[in-house]
Amino acid sequence: QVQLVESGGGLVQPGGSLRLSCAASGSIFSINTMGWYRQAPGKQRELVATITSDGSTNYADSVKGRFTISRDNVKNTFLRMNNLKPEDTAVYQCNANVSPSWWSSPIDYWGQGTQVTVSS
C-alpha cells in the first residue's frame, strides 16, 4: 500500500503565495508521474500540474506563469503557488503513478487533499 500526505495549504490573501508538499510512503519501487489536482465546491476535479520522473512538466493554462511544480529524486513533489487568486480556492490533491515492484503495473494513488483558500 502507498500513502500520499499533503501539507502546506491554508488561507492566503489575493496575490499571496503558498507552497504545497506531498510525501509518498509505503511499497514503492518507483514513481512515474506525480501531479497536483484541485476541486472547488460544485466543480469537477481538474488538473493543475504534473511532472514526470525525468522532470517534464505540464500545467493547466489557468496557472501557467504562477505555479511551479517540482519533485525531489525520491518520493516528494511540491507545488509553489504565486500570485494566488480567489478562483484558485479549492482542495488540492496529490497524485502519484506508482510501480510497487519492478514486475507490477503502475497504480494511481491519491492523497486526502489540503484546502487552499484565497480571500481578503
Side-chain angles (χ1 to χ4, degrees):
Q1 191 61 277
V2 172
Q3 296 80 40
L4 300 178
V5 179
E6 303 102 333
S7 61
L11 173 64
V12 63
Q13 292 186 341
S17 298
L18 284 175
R19 183 175 185 259
L20 305 183
S21 299
C22 173
S25 62
S27 301
I28 299 171
F29 173 74
S30 65
I31 301 180
N32 308 307
T33 300
M34 300 187 80
W36 291 92
Y37 293 73
R38 67 187 181 186
Q39 186 167 20
K43 295 186 177 181
Q44 290 189 332
R45 182 166 60 191
E46 63 175 359
L47 177 147
V48 176
T50 60
I51 185 167
T52 65
S53 56
D54 63 0
S56 296
T57 58
N58 179 52
Y59 295 93
D61 288 342
S62 59
V63 307
K64 283 181 180 177
R66 300 187 298 121
F67 290 12
T68 302
I69 189 171
S70 61
R71 63 189 284 182
D72 62 15
N73 59 0
V74 185
K75 303 176 183 177
N76 303 304
T77 186
F78 310 94
L79 185 69
R80 177 67 179 181
M81 305 185 293
N82 294 328
N83 190 22
L84 282 159
K85 304 176 180 181
E87 51 264 41
D88 295 317
T89 295
V91 174
Y92 284 70
Q93 278 185 290
C94 175
N95 168 268
N97 187 255
V98 177
S99 295
S101 58
W102 65 268
W103 63 86
S104 300
S105 298
I107 302 170
D108 270 339
Y109 290 93
W110 294 87
Q112 290 293 319
T114 184
Q115 177 69 46
V116 171
T117 302
V118 185
S119 175
S120 55

